[in-house]
Structure formats: C-alpha cells, structure tokens
Amino acid sequence: MADAAAATSTTDPLSAVLYQSLDVVQRTFNAIPGSAVLVRYVKSSHQNDPYRTILEVILIIFAIRTLLQSRTRAEKSGKNFIKLEEKEIDDLVDEWIPEPLVAPLDDTSRTELASVPVIAGASGPKPKLVNGKTVVNLASYNFAGLAGNESIKEKAMDTLRKYGLGSCGPPGFYGTLDVHVQLERDIASFLGTESAIIYSQGFSTICSVIPAFCKRGDIIVADRGVNFAIQKGIQISRSTVRWYDHNDPNSLEEVLESVAKEMKKKRLPLTRRFIVTEGIFQNDGAMVDLPKLIKLKLKHKYRLILDESFSFGVVGRTGRGLTELYNVPAAQIDILVGSMANGLCSAGGFCAGANVVVDHQRINGTSFVYSASMPALLAVSASAGIEMLVSTPSLLTTLHENVLAVRSVLDKLDCITIPSHPASAIIHIFIRSSATGSTLSPSYVPTFSGVSSSANAAHKPSNPTSVLSRDPEQFDIAAEERLLQDVVEEALAQGVLITRAKRLRGQEAVEPRPSIRLAITAGLTRKEVEKAAGVVKSALIKVLGKRRY
Amino acid sequence: MPSQPSSPMAFPPPGFSKRKSAIALPPQSTAVSYLTALQQADAKARSNSASSAATVSTLSTPALSTSSSMSSSSSSATTVLDDDPYDPKHDGDDGLSRPAVPPTSEQVFSTIHSEFGHCGNQTYRHTSKYSGGAFDPANSHEPPYYILLSTYISYIFLIVIGHMRDYFGKKLRSANYKHLMPSNGYAALNSDFDSFYTRRLKARMDDCFSRPVTGVPGRTIALLDRTSSDYNATFDYSGTRTRALNVSSYNYLGFAQARGGCADAVEESIKRYGISACGARLEGGSTDLHLQAEALVARFVGQEDALITSMGYATNSTTIPALASKGCLIISDEFNHASIRFGVRLSGASVRMFKHNDVQDLEALLREVISQGQPRTHRPWKKILLIVEGLYSMEGSLVNLPAIIELKRKYKFYLYVDEAHSIGAMGPHGRGVIDYFGVNPRDIDIMMGTFTKSFGASGGYISGSTALISRLRLCSHAGPYCESMTPSVLTQIVASMASIMGVSPPLPPASPLATPTRSLDVAIVEKSFIGPAPAAALPTWLSLPPQLRDGSEGKERLRRLAFNARYLSRALVKLGFITYGHDDSPIIPLLIFNPGKMCLFSRMMLERKTPIVVVVVAYPATPLVTSRVRFCLSAAHTKDDVDVLLKACDEIGDVLDLKHGDGERWTLEEVMRRATELVRMP
C-alpha cells in the first residue's frame, strides 16, 4: 500500500497534503515494533481470501457497535419496543388503572387478626392477657425458661447503664461493641467451633448466610420441608437447587448421586455444593438424623448448612443442640446457624463455624453489614443465657421431662398425628386426615418419624428439580385451620394459651399442613405442663371428636 | 420552666425528685449548690474506686468531671462514674469529658457531657425546614482531572499488585490460600475473584473499619485500642481505651444515652416486661407494649396505623415482597439501600432504576413503562411501586418529595418512602422529610423508617392506612416468622418519641381506662398531623422527667441538630472541600477520591490531640472514584465540637490536598467566628 501511495502523488495540493500526512501515519505505524507482521498478515489473508477481509471488517464494526450500546438502552431499541407518540403515551397513562396496593381484608383475615393473643406485661410461663385472664403459656418460645430470669434482668440493667440502649451503627462503623465480641466468643466456645458471628435478627440470619456462600452456578441440595427463611435465602442465592424428600436420608442420597451423575455427564466444573436443612424443622418439629447426614455429606463432599433455630438451647444435655444430642463435634458442621431469640430468650441469630466461614460473612453477609448491630443489653442477655444453660443443667432436664410429659398425654390421642420428634420442644399437632371429614383427604396418613421411606420406596422418586414432591399430601387448608382455631380458642377458654402455626399462605414453596404448634417450657412444673396438656387434649377431643364420621 | 430561661436542657440539681412536681423548682438551684453536689459525688466516687481493687489500672484517674452531673434518676452518683475507668485520657484537656467553658449558675445540665454535650448558647440553634424555591438536586462539584487520574492510577496499582501477590502467594505459600483453592474434592469456599477486593484493597485499611468500641455511642465514644503486627490480618488489643469525638454513629438526636429519662424508662420496662417477648407477633409474641408503640408511631408520622419490626433491614426485606409480586413493577432509585434491593429481589417483581434523585429521568421512565406495559406481552402492569429514601445515607441528599408527589398524581404509582435516616432528624418537628417539605403524610402510601438512628433504639416500622397495615400484619414475612421487638427497645422508642412530640396533659379521670387495644385513638382530627402525644397513648407506668414530657428538650435537640448539620456542611464548603448532599442533612459526605488518602484521613483524625472517629467509605458502597468520609452529626454535639472537627479537617485537608471546591473561601477563624451568620444564610 505504501508504494501505491507514493506512486500516485501528483498535482493537487490538497491531495499532496493528504498523502503527506498519510505517509507520516504510515511511518509511525511501521515504527511500532511488530507492525510489519500485522501488515504482512493482513496482506496475505486478503490475497488468499478477499471475502474474509470484508467479513472481518463487518465483524469489527459490529463489535464496536455492541460495545457502545449501553445496557440500559437495550430495552428501548429492542424489537419489542413500540414507538409511540407523546399524545398516545398521555392517553395510555390516563387510561391505566393500577390494582389496589393490597387486597382488602376479608372476613377470614379479620378473624385471624382479632384472634392474635396479646399479652399484658411480661411474657413468661404464666402471663396475663389483655383481657385480664392469666393463662398457662404453651405458645411462646421460652424453652429453657429464661424469660423473666432475675439475674439476667439485673445484668441487662447494668449493661443499659454502661452502654445505653441502641448501638446506633452497623458493625463496620463503630457498631461493634465489646459485648458483641464477647457474645461471639461465648457462642463459639459453647458450641465448640472456631468462631461465630451474630446477626441482629434470627430470621434474617439464614436469609443472609445462604447467599453469602452460595452463588450462581453452585449447587444446593435442600430438604423439601425447610422453613421460610431458608426458602428465601435459597431464592436470593440464585444457585442450582435440588430438593429431597422431607427428612428422608435415602432420598437425600439418591439426589446426591443423581447430582454427581449429572455433573459427570455434563462435565461440569467443580462448584461449591451445599446441603441445607434444619436440625429440628420449624414446620413440623421433625429432627434430622445428624450422624447419617454427616456421613453423606463427607462421602459426597458437600458442605452442610444446618439451621438449629429450634434445637439450639433446646436439645442436648446443656442445650448445645443436635451436636450435643448426637455427640457430633460441631466443627463437622460447616455452617451452623441458630437463634438467640428462640433458644436464649434474647434477640438475634448467629452463625458458627471455622474462621474463614465467619470472616467471610463480616463483609459478605448483607444483613450483617447493612444493619445496625444489636443492642448491647440484648447481647449481654444472650451471653447470660448461655452461662445459665451451662451452669444449670437442670433447666434442660426439666424441659426434656416436660416435653415427655406432654407427649405421653397427646401421643395416645387418635384424632391427631404428631409429626414432631419426641425430643423436640416444639410439638406440631396435625388433624388425622379422616377427622376433617373432607372428601379431599385420602386415607393416607403421613408418617414423619425418622426413616419412613420404606413405604414410599415402591413409588418412583420425586423430581429433584421441583420443590413439590411426587405425591404431596392432600389436605383442605381452610377447613383444617378453622377446626384448629376452634381448638385454640377452646384451650384458651380453659386457661391454656396455644397457637396455630401461622403461615404465609400463597408465599410458601410448599404449603405446610395446618397445625397447632405447642412450645414447651421449663418454666412450668411437670404437673402444670401435664395439666395444660390435658386441657389441650380435651379441647382436641371436643372439637375434633364431634366432627368425626 | 421559668426559673431557668437559659436552656430547656437545664435541669434541677441532684436530689430533686422528678415525680413530685413538674414546675416548682427549689430556689437553691445555684452554681454553689450544683458544684457542692458535684464535689460530694466526686469524693464519693474517689473513695469507691480506691476501695475496689478490681479496677484495671485506672485508680489514678479521678472519677468525675465537673460536668458529669447526675440525672435525677434513682441511680447514685457512683454508677455514672463507672464509665470513667474505661477512659485513660480523662483529664478533660481534650474537651471530651468537660466543656471548655464551665457552666454558668443558670445552666445546670441534665446530661453527661461525654454522652450529650452541654451547649447553653441559644444562638447555636436552627430550624430544619425547606426554604422553598427550586429544589437543588444536591451539589456535584467535579474535582480537578489530576485527582481523577491519580485515583484511577491508584486503583490500577492496587489491582495489579494484588494480582501479583495472589499469583505468587498461591505458588509459594499455598497454606494461606487454602480457602480460595479447591482442595480434597471441595470447591473453594470463596472464589478468589469475589474476595479480591476484600483481601487486597480493604485489608490494607482494615484498621479503619469495624473498630471495636465500648460504652455509649453518644457524643464521644470509647475505642478499644488495637494494633496489628501482620498487616491487619489479626489485631492485638492492649486493653486500653481511647475516648474520641464521635461523628460516625447514627445518633442524630442524641438519644444514645445511658442516663436520663429514656434510660430510666427502659430500666423500668426491663423490670416489668423482662428481656424478650418470646415469639413472633402472630404466635404469642405480642404484648400490649407493641400495640401502644405502634399507635404512637402512627400518630408520630401522621398515618392511620403502623407495624413494628425487630430489625431495620428486615423491615424492608420482609415487607416489600408482601406488596409486590410478579406482574408488578418496582421503580427504585439507583442509590437505594441494600435492604430495599434484597426485598425487591425476593418479591419477584420487575425492577427498573432511575438516576439518583433525577425527577426528569423518573418521569421519562414512568412514561416508558406505563406506555410499554410488561415486557414481551405488553400487558399493563398490575401496579407500580416507587421506592425512594428520604435521606440517602451515603450521599446526604434529600429526596425531591414535592416533585415526586406531583408525579404520583399523574402517573398513579404507589409511593414507598424509606425514612431510615430522615425520621426524627429532619423537619421542624422531627417528623422526617414529610415535615421538612411540609407535605401531607397521607400523600405517601407506605412510610418506612427505623428506630436505630434518631431514637437510639433498634428495629423499624411500616406505616400507612389501616387496610394496608392489617394486611401486612398477616402477609409480611415478619408476622409469623420474625421474633417480635423486645420490650426494652419498644420502651426506648416510646420514651424518645414521646419526648420529641411532647405529651399532652392527661385527660380528666372520666376518660376511659387505658386499656391497650388496637382501637386506641390514632385518628387525626386536626388539619395538621403534628401534635403532642396523648397521655392515654403512653404506658401508664411510663414517667418521663418534666423536660422530656413537655417536649421542650425534644425541640431543643431538633434545633441543635439542625444548627450543627447546616454549620458543618456550609463551613466545609467555605473551607474549600467538596461535599455532597443538602445543607440541612445531618449526614455530610466529604469527598476524598484517592483510596490511599482515605485511610490516612481516618488515622490522622484518630491520632489528633482530641481524637475523632470518622467513617470512610469507598467502592463498592460508592462509585469507584468518589471515596469519601461521612460525618453524621448529632444534637449531642456542641458548636465547640463542630469547631474541633473543622479544625481537624482544615489541617488534614491541607496535608492531604483535599480542598478542590470552587466558590468563595473563608479562613478557619472566619468560619468559626461567623458560624451563626453562615447558618442563617439562605
């Protein structure tokens, strides 16, 4: 090309200037080391295949155009965009009628709201309701009976006088108090993990922990019956999810194997893999077989995220949770989440694990980073709660005895089924299906006790990509809830406060079966608990019995 | 309080019982009796600390500063002084524990100076109110090009060196990178790409973040001293503490106090209610206190009903999914808080963002989305929810609320205003941006806010029409699944809120019994929603000291905050700094740009004679180039404190070359002298 340019230099002064500057550009270009190679390459490729040059030029133009096009404008220029006149837009704006912000309350919701129990004054084993009635409380989470403990209150008041109430800042910005650090240490040494991190709300803990570790492309294998907070955490994480049948280790194993097969077949790269489940399930009180779970996770090289919100402070000799009950070192659980609000009658949640696990959350746990740290006096109360659990094992012994006492009263009842584990302090009561008299209900009675899949083994396994199992239980939500609410009110009339398990119908991944959820406490004596259980029993018989066919 | 005209913050001397009388003050409230009382308390404290051998090498520190006067609460003098053993630099020469000018005989302060500063000069007050006229979409000065260029070069350097260290580190010291590399059949727990910023950029200045503190996060704060010998991988704690001026905590109205009427009320509530409400709101975790607090919040913000959640973050993240779902559109300001984004993602609705605070861009977007409808199908949207914040916590900018309400009338979207930072902190009556702009609260469909900031508590609220709130009680995730707010926090909210509002005198005894039901009168009869809290709306056992009860202290706090905010932001501009945000915002970001200067700024502030703790923020919380330091002012700060801060900024700003603002410049002395003039300027 250079020769051609030089040869055609002629008369026109304008073109002379042009050629001169072109010459300068060319010389500079040639001066760049390696430019000769490029020129030679272009020349020879053009010689061999002139069409290719055209194609490449088009490609370059296209690439530049794509790069220049901003992401946000893509929608406007997309073929789906309809160009409208201003007048037309004005008309469309005028015509548009939005739906109401929320659906107006119907009668069911109104009754539901009105039936929410309100305690006047302190909550505890025997609180007073706003109507002046003193009741025995089997509804609030006061498992170890720490609510109203005088020594904890004293400590809280001392803390108040040193720290004030609020921490007025997120942990990163001067919201980390020494009492928070102390509580983290207390939890870690109580459970036997390397370290722990505290969040200021129990619910938001696991919602934030899951997406901190599980990213797009990672694999989560989760139980179909996990609680709402876990469902939301999984949803946010955008990971690939595989579901296994509720509390069924065999199903878990099948799913783990199918995932391994799939990975091998598609030659997918190694990604993070997690098993997510609960220690004691919030939705029905069932308990996982932890040793089996750990065996599976080690075999298939998964990390375990275990939500112990309803087992921490509840099971085990001193309330350390499932790890104590099964005598498994807590270090075997990669990410252990619990709630200080449920287990220690304080507030907040925690995540315990190895240092790398905890430190990662200090910058990646969104609800840790972007929220104010918890008030100092609540952190101190939680620390004091742990101290009580350790120093007074009788608290937990009483709790376990009370749980047994309630179970021995209710287990014999044939109008209900109890899916909860015998050691669980939250006890869910389902209506035995025939008792509703609903035509929808088949004779199938769910049996959740431990490894129960032998009956299901004949069936084809459920599809792991869907959260719904192959043969979901059938129940009439509205009818069962009505019946159970009658039971709740009947018990309340007899002086025992119990509650239905409240759900977000329509927002849950799988609609949990309506149930009554008892929360047993160590704050009551065995006699009182037995009596209260007797009241619940007679209420159940009274309401469900007369509706039986 | 006629006998003490100087300051509504003034307070009867020790020994005066608040419960007996609200008006008649003993005549002996003179300087002599005040000082005598203090001396006695001091002597008592000295003997106490001397007798207790357990204290940590602090016996030498005298336990009392001249100004650590008692509140009238039941607490004895010695408990107040228990804070001081933490404080090695107690002598007061740094101006933190004792005001530079001792109080006059007329001024008797009820607060501890280190928690809530003593500022008796009534000219250092201002009212936070929108002055009208065109809305300035917050100043945006551009720095010189060499600053931008050096900032980019700094980042390139950091990134290149970081990658080199990673490359060689993985080869040579693989043990340190174990969690970043696949091992034993497990994929890496964290990807090294995701954590690159944390490890290679943030770790360099980790000493400026998450500094552990102790005590009250009030006007001053006690830092636990720490050093690192391994480049911030671990920290060693020496056990000593440094008291520093706190311009970092969200303590806008100074309610972070361990003493005073609110703390007394909280103590009473712990005695009465215990620590926890034990359960979710719908499952046996509701107490009468929840209903009372919710009714008071609704009245405070001028709505029909309110719902309280136990965590501010969760207030957004659990409510938004209950408001919008698939087929709905959420329009969100680009700088909205992480909790809003979290909630929006959970909701499953479509999202569009508009340029921060840009009403024109918002209108163009609204016209586009309404006319185009849903993507692909072009069905009309079920509803459109616009989510904005009242005061943006990283920008210090206020939302252009009047213009947005104007748009709302035309485009029929629902408006969700997150007042996390503005509630309590803005407006002549502390009712947030609504009050600041003087708009009708009922023009806003959903009002959200938090109690962490202005009220010195924690958690948040959603407020709106009765229909909305009732629905949310059942449908928001918090109702059945989140723990309910603890009674102590609720009490702090009620007490601080009532003292901002003032409490109207109790009704005659013929009034109905104060049975706490939801039918509690929250209807707003007057034209303006702003008025005192009815005595019947408060818990019967709550007894606030008179200056809180009549709202005088609340007003004083609002006026002090307004002065401090305006003074600092204008003074910084006059000194030549580039700041963001509106003048009336108590959040004042000062632009630093270069990442290297950020940690220097923070360290230099801390090493001064009067140490100051500041918050520095950089990418990813801000755009890459605009690293900044963020000051959060409080009503607890005095004018002297702001002067101390200005002096520090002035000196450090010269050293670090931070003064790139345009416009007229004043010297530091001039700024300090003409402070009131500066604040009163339109």
Side-chain angles (χ1 to χ4, degrees):
Chain A
M1 286 192 289
D3 305 329
T8 48
S9 66
T10 44
T11 52
D12 200 337
L14 185 76
S15 54
V17 172
L18 263 176
Y19 283 123
Q20 214 168 6
S21 51
L22 192 67
D23 197 42
V24 171
V25 170
Q26 237 161 28
R27 248 177 251 175
T28 346
F29 182 72
N30 287 338
I32 300 169
S35 60
V37 181
L38 193 72
V39 172
R40 214 180 311 133
Y41 171 76
V42 173
K43 264 186 189 166
S44 65
S45 90
H46 183 74
Q47 216 160 23
N48 297 342
D49 186 2
Y51 291 108
R52 187 172 144 185
T53 317
I54 298 168
L55 194 73
E56 278 174 0
V57 167
I58 291 171
L59 267 178
I60 288 169
I61 291 169
F62 184 74
I64 290 170
R65 187 172 158 262
T66 316
L67 278 177
L68 288 181
Q69 221 167 30
S70 86
R71 224 155 30 102
T72 45
R73 292 186 67 96
E75 193 148 333
K76 232 174 196 175
S77 54
K79 64 171 181 220
N80 224 328
F81 188 86
I82 303 170
K83 193 126 180 50
L84 296 164
E85 303 279 317
E86 288 298 301
K87 175 79 180 55
E88 289 170 321
I89 295 180
D90 282 336
D91 289 347
L92 281 167
V93 166
D94 284 343
E95 280 164 25
W96 180 60
I97 302 164
E99 284 182 7
L101 183 55
V102 286
L105 280 190
D106 50 10
D107 283 343
T108 334
S109 323
R110 231 172 265 133
T111 339
E112 170 98 45
L113 263 184
S115 69
V116 172
V118 179
I119 293 165
S123 183
K126 287 182 198 162
K128 210 166 113 187
L129 297 186
V130 278
N131 58 16
K133 196 168 171 177
T134 303
V135 288
V136 174
N137 190 352
L138 292 185
S140 308
Y141 300 136
N142 177 26
F143 302 116
L146 298 173
N149 183 293
E150 288 301 325
S151 81
I152 296 182
K153 279 178 159 172
E154 281 299 320
K155 279 185 185 159
M157 285 188 271
D158 284 351
T159 314
L160 171 72
R161 291 308 181 183
K162 272 184 191 159
Y163 293 85
L165 189 91
S167 65
C168 290
F173 300 153
Y174 307 97
T176 308
L177 292 166
D178 48 358
V179 292
H180 294 135
V181 179
Q182 186 56 44
L183 175 58
E184 291 177 350
R185 274 194 212 126
D186 288 345
I187 290 169
S189 70
F190 182 59
L191 290 171
T193 57
E194 265 180 27
S195 67
I197 177 170
I198 52 171
Y199 287 76
S200 46
Q201 191 189 52
F203 178 86
S204 296
T205 309
I206 189 114
C207 277
S208 171
V209 169
I210 294 177
F213 293 100
C214 310
K215 309 282 180 194
R216 199 188 284 277
D218 294 344
I219 292 167
I220 294 178
V221 174
D223 189 295
R224 286 203 164 85
V226 290
N227 65 32
F228 194 76
I230 298 181
Q231 291 167 21
K232 292 294 131 185
I234 292 176
Q235 183 191 337
I236 281 284
S237 75
R238 293 176 171 152
S239 305
T240 312
V241 194
R242 295 289 178 267
W243 302 92
Y244 68 91
D245 285 340
H246 178 49
N247 209 13
D248 182 349
N250 297 336
S251 168
L252 171 61
E253 188 157 17
E254 279 163 25
V255 173
L256 294 179
E257 272 159 13
S258 76
V259 170
K261 230 180 268 169
E262 195 186 329
M263 302 259 304
K264 213 170 166 188
K265 202 168 128 198
K266 293 191 184 163
R267 295 194 185 173
L268 294 173
L270 182 64
T271 56
R272 288 178 282 263
R273 290 162 303 192
F274 299 89
I275 297 175
V276 181
T277 185
E278 290 178 79
I280 287 179
F281 288 87
Q282 181 175 8
N283 283 352
D284 63 5
M287 188 191 286
V288 293
D289 184 352
L290 189 62
K292 184 103 201 244
L293 193 62
I294 291 198
K295 223 171 89 190
L296 283 176
K297 94 163 187 102
L298 289 175
K299 184 177 161 202
H300 292 270
K301 299 197 188 296
Y302 274 68
R303 293 188 172 93
L304 176 59
I305 301 181
L306 187 68
D307 185 353
E308 289 228 54
S309 294
F310 288 87
S311 47
F312 174 79
V314 178
V315 297
R317 197 181 62 84
T318 52
R320 287 178 170 87
L322 247 58
T323 50
E324 191 177 25
L325 187 72
Y326 285 108
N327 202 14
V328 172
Q332 295 244 7
I333 296 161
D334 303 87
I335 297 166
L336 195 160
V337 176
S339 159
M340 294 156 323
N342 298 345
L344 301 172
C345 282
S346 167
F350 66 84
C351 174
N355 283 333
V356 282
V357 168
V358 167
D359 290 344
H360 180 68
Q361 292 173 55
R362 294 197 192 277
I363 188 82
N364 292 294
T366 47
S367 75
F368 177 81
V369 175
Y370 293 103
S371 125
S373 53
M374 79 200 253
L377 70 88
L378 296 176
V380 169
S381 309
S383 282
I386 292 179
E387 207 183 301
M388 292 280 295
L389 291 181
V390 174
S391 64
T392 329
S394 63
L395 288 176
L396 269 290
T397 324
T398 315
L399 173 64
H400 299 154
E401 279 170 5
N402 286 353
V403 170
L404 281 181
V406 172
R407 290 302 290 259
S408 65
V409 173
L410 294 178
D411 276 347
K412 290 175 224 139
L413 214 55
D414 57 0
C415 57
I416 55 164
T417 52
I418 297 182
S420 307
H421 189 274
S424 163
I426 51 166
I427 300 175
H428 283 260
I429 299 172
F430 290 164
I431 301 176
R432 193 176 281 273
S433 296
S434 55
T436 49
S438 155
T439 46
L440 269 173
S441 306
S443 57
Y444 166 62
V445 177
T447 47
F448 280 97
S449 50
V451 194
S452 65
S453 65
S454 53
N456 294 343
H459 296 276
K460 272 179 81 179
S462 311
N463 176 11
T465 55
S466 159
V467 69
L468 299 171
S469 70
R470 185 165 287 268
D471 46 2
E473 352 162 27
Q474 302 290 320
F475 42 82
D476 180 348
I477 293 175
E480 292 200 1
E481 285 191 341
R482 261 198 313 276
L483 277 180
L484 292 171
Q485 190 57 40
D486 289 347
V487 176
V488 169
E489 266 144 39
E490 178 62 30
L492 188 60
Q494 306 293 324
V496 177
L497 177 66
I498 55 175
T499 176
R500 275 191 305 114
K502 299 295 169 74
R503 305 292 180 202
L504 294 168
R505 296 288 171 205
Q507 296 186 60
E508 313 260 356
V510 184
E511 291 294 348
R513 180 149 191 190
S515 64
I516 282 176
R517 199 253 314 123
L518 307 181
I520 312 302
T521 169
L524 295 166
T525 64
R526 198 190 155 102
K527 269 227 166 87
E528 288 166 328
V529 167
E530 262 169 4
K531 203 173 151 211
V535 169
V536 175
K537 181 181 167 184
S538 58
L540 283 165
I541 292 173
K542 189 172 166 196
V543 174
L544 300 180
K546 68 181 173 196
R547 310 215 173 192
R548 284 186 78 184
Y549 294 167
Chain B
M1 278 185 278
S3 66
Q4 293 169 339
S6 65
S7 159
M9 203 99 335
F11 194 75
F16 175 72
S17 165
K18 65 182 170 179
R19 305 208 177 159
K20 283 184 185 144
S21 159
I23 303 150
L25 285 178
Q28 71 270 27
S29 61
T30 59
V32 180
S33 68
Y34 173 52
L35 288 173
T36 323
L38 282 176
Q39 274 164 10
Q40 283 166 357
D42 204 349
K44 197 174 161 195
R46 260 178 232 269
S47 67
N48 256 29
S49 68
S51 61
S52 65
T55 45
V56 199
S57 70
T58 47
L59 292 178
S60 59
T61 59
L64 185 74
S65 58
T66 331
S67 53
S68 298
S69 55
M70 301 315 99
S71 66
S72 70
S73 70
S74 55
S75 54
S76 69
T78 49
T79 48
V80 173
L81 308 167
D82 281 345
D83 283 345
D84 279 333
Y86 292 136
D87 192 355
K89 275 195 203 166
H90 165 72
D91 289 326
D93 62 340
D94 55 7
L96 291 181
S97 306
R98 184 188 305 170
V101 185
T104 64
S105 59
E106 290 294 292
Q107 299 166 341
V108 184
F109 296 100
S110 63
T111 55
I112 301 170
H113 188 59
S114 62
E115 271 178 24
F116 194 99
H118 298 173
C119 180
N121 189 337
Q122 282 296 312
T123 55
Y124 299 147
R125 304 287 187 268
H126 189 67
T127 306
S128 160
K129 191 163 176 25
Y130 186 51
S131 52
F135 182 84
D136 168 27
N139 9 350
S140 51
H141 304 287
E142 288 295 321
Y145 279 112
Y146 79 91
I147 292 286
L148 283 182
L149 199 67
S150 60
T151 306
Y152 280 120
I153 291 175
S154 304
Y155 275 108
I156 291 171
F157 249 76
L158 282 166
I159 291 167
V160 168
I161 292 178
H163 279 297
M164 278 162 60
R165 289 182 63 186
D166 271 6
Y167 179 79
F168 289 109
K170 278 183 189 167
K171 304 244 144 149
L172 303 174
R173 287 200 206 151
S174 50
N176 296 355
Y177 292 82
K178 224 172 124 194
H179 63 291
L180 298 175
M181 296 198 284
S183 69
N184 193 24
Y186 288 90
L189 182 63
N190 318 324
S191 92
D192 55 352
F193 180 77
D194 285 351
S195 63
F196 181 81
Y197 168 80
T198 319
R199 288 178 300 116
R200 292 296 172 216
L201 279 73
K202 181 176 166 285
R204 287 171 176 268
M205 47 183 183
D206 253 354
D207 59 317
C208 305
F209 297 110
S210 305
R211 288 181 181 142
V213 296
T214 186
V216 180
R219 174 181 155 267
T220 67
I221 198 163
L223 291 178
L224 306 183
D225 295 331
R226 59 178 187 179
T227 51
S228 179
S229 53
D230 51 6
Y231 304 103
N232 298 338
T234 56
F235 288 98
D236 304 317
Y237 292 88
S238 62
T240 57
R241 294 166 165 86
T242 305
R243 188 160 284 282
L245 186 65
N246 179 10
V247 285
S248 301
S249 294
Y250 308 135
N251 176 29
Y252 301 127
L253 291 182
F255 279 110
Q257 286 177 290
R259 302 284 139 193
C262 292
D264 293 344
V266 173
E267 184 172 316
E268 179 67 25
S269 84
I270 294 176
K271 284 182 193 150
R272 282 171 180 268
Y273 283 86
I275 304 298
S276 163
C278 304
R281 283 301 297 279
L282 296 179
E283 290 190 352
S286 291
T287 68
D288 50 348
L289 199 51
H290 287 97
L291 306 190
Q292 285 164 340
E294 284 173 350
L296 188 67
V297 170
R299 182 172 271 270
F300 184 79
V301 299
Q303 291 282 9
E304 286 172 11
D305 202 356
L307 170 64
I308 288 180
T309 313
S310 57
M311 181 189 191
Y313 182 95
T315 313
N316 277 328
S317 72
T318 64
T319 304
I320 295 172
L323 292 171
S325 56
K326 211 159 174 289
C328 304
L329 177 72
I330 294 178
I331 298 180
S332 167
D333 190 290
E334 62 176 338
F335 287 159
N336 273 349
H337 190 250
S339 57
I340 296 176
R341 296 177 193 196
F342 195 93
V344 168
R345 271 174 65 190
L346 281 183
S347 72
S350 305
V351 203
R352 294 294 295 271
M353 307 245 255
F354 68 100
K355 230 174 124 224
H356 173 56
N357 236 353
D358 186 338
V359 181
Q360 274 85 40
D361 190 44
L362 172 63
E363 181 161 15
L365 179 64
L366 281 165
R367 291 178 73 81
E368 184 201 319
V369 293
I370 296 177
S371 62
Q372 295 294 321
Q374 298 189 30
R376 285 173 47 76
T377 60
H378 295 287
R379 273 198 204 115
W381 295 102
K382 285 186 187 163
K383 56 194 167 196
I384 296 178
L385 183 65
L386 174 68
I387 307 185
V388 290
E389 289 188 39
L391 173 59
Y392 289 83
S393 66
M394 287 296 162
E395 310 298 314
S397 50
L398 290 162
V399 67
N400 188 352
L401 199 57
I404 286 181
I405 289 176
E406 210 48 50
L407 284 184
K408 176 177 149 64
R409 296 218 171 89
K410 184 166 176 202
Y411 293 99
K412 295 173 278 194
F413 54 81
Y414 296 107
L415 180 56
Y416 184 114
V417 180
D418 176 340
E419 292 225 56
H421 285 268
S422 51
I423 193 74
M426 300 299 305
H429 312 89
R431 309 300 210 262
V433 280
I434 316 296
D435 190 19
Y436 180 78
F437 289 109
V439 300
N440 183 353
R442 302 292 169 94
D443 281 340
I444 290 149
D445 300 286
I446 309 127
M447 284 161 77
M448 178 269 171
T450 62
F451 303 117
T452 318
K453 283 94 184 180
S454 301
F455 305 99
S458 78
Y461 67 84
I462 293 276
S463 190
S465 67
T466 313
L468 170 78
I469 299 299
S470 308
R471 177 51 71 184
L472 286 179
R473 282 181 202 281
L474 294 171
C475 289
S476 119
H477 304 171
Y481 293 125
C482 296
E483 72 222 42
S484 63
M485 181 84 99
T486 60
S488 48
V489 179
L490 288 169
T491 309
Q492 171 80 15
I493 294 162
V494 169
S496 55
M497 200 170 265
S499 59
I500 300 170
M501 300 166 87
V503 183
S504 64
L507 297 170
S511 70
L513 285 168
T515 41
T517 53
R518 207 180 297 286
S519 66
L520 206 64
D521 140 68
V522 288
I524 287 153
V525 259
E526 317 97 279
K527 208 169 167 197
S528 160
F529 69 98
I530 292 155
L538 303 181
T540 44
W541 49 267
L542 184 79
S543 77
L544 292 170
Q547 78 278 16
L548 289 184
R549 204 170 176 84
D550 64 12
S552 58
E553 182 169 325
K555 277 192 196 72
E556 184 77 1
R557 287 178 188 238
L558 289 167
R559 284 161 52 76
R560 276 179 66 167
L561 175 66
F563 175 86
N564 290 344
R566 223 165 146 98
Y567 175 37
L568 180 65
S569 60
R570 292 196 164 172
L572 286 174
V573 173
K574 284 283 180 239
L575 289 176
F577 291 100
I578 299 181
T579 61
Y580 277 178
H582 290 100
D583 288 357
D584 285 320
S585 142
I587 301 173
I588 299 146
L590 186 159
L591 275 287
I592 292 188
F593 302 105
N594 296 58
K597 288 179 186 171
M598 221 167 48
C599 42
L600 271 180
F601 189 93
S602 176
R603 286 172 200 151
M604 285 166 87
M605 278 291 202
L606 189 61
E607 281 157 12
R608 292 180 67 82
K609 181 168 164 251
T610 304
I612 303 172
V613 292
V614 295
V615 164
V616 285
V617 261
Y619 178 82
T622 68
L624 191 67
V625 280
T626 51
S627 304
R628 60 196 73 170
V629 52
R630 186 187 62 176
F631 302 120
C632 292
L633 283 180
S634 162
H637 294 123
T638 62
K639 195 243 173 197
D640 288 343
D641 295 334
V642 183
D643 287 345
V644 166
L645 178 63
L646 283 172
K647 185 153 185 279
C649 286
D650 190 52
E651 288 173 19
I652 296 173
D654 282 335
V655 176
L656 296 182
D657 183 29
L658 297 177
K659 297 181 177 175
H660 300 294
D662 30 18
E664 188 197 357
R665 289 211 189 168
W666 292 5
T667 61
L668 179 67
E669 285 69 35
E670 200 176 1
V671 164
M672 279 156 62
R673 188 163 42 77
R674 293 168 66 182
T676 37
E677 186 192 333
L678 196 61
V679 170
R680 305 271 185 271
M681 283 193 311

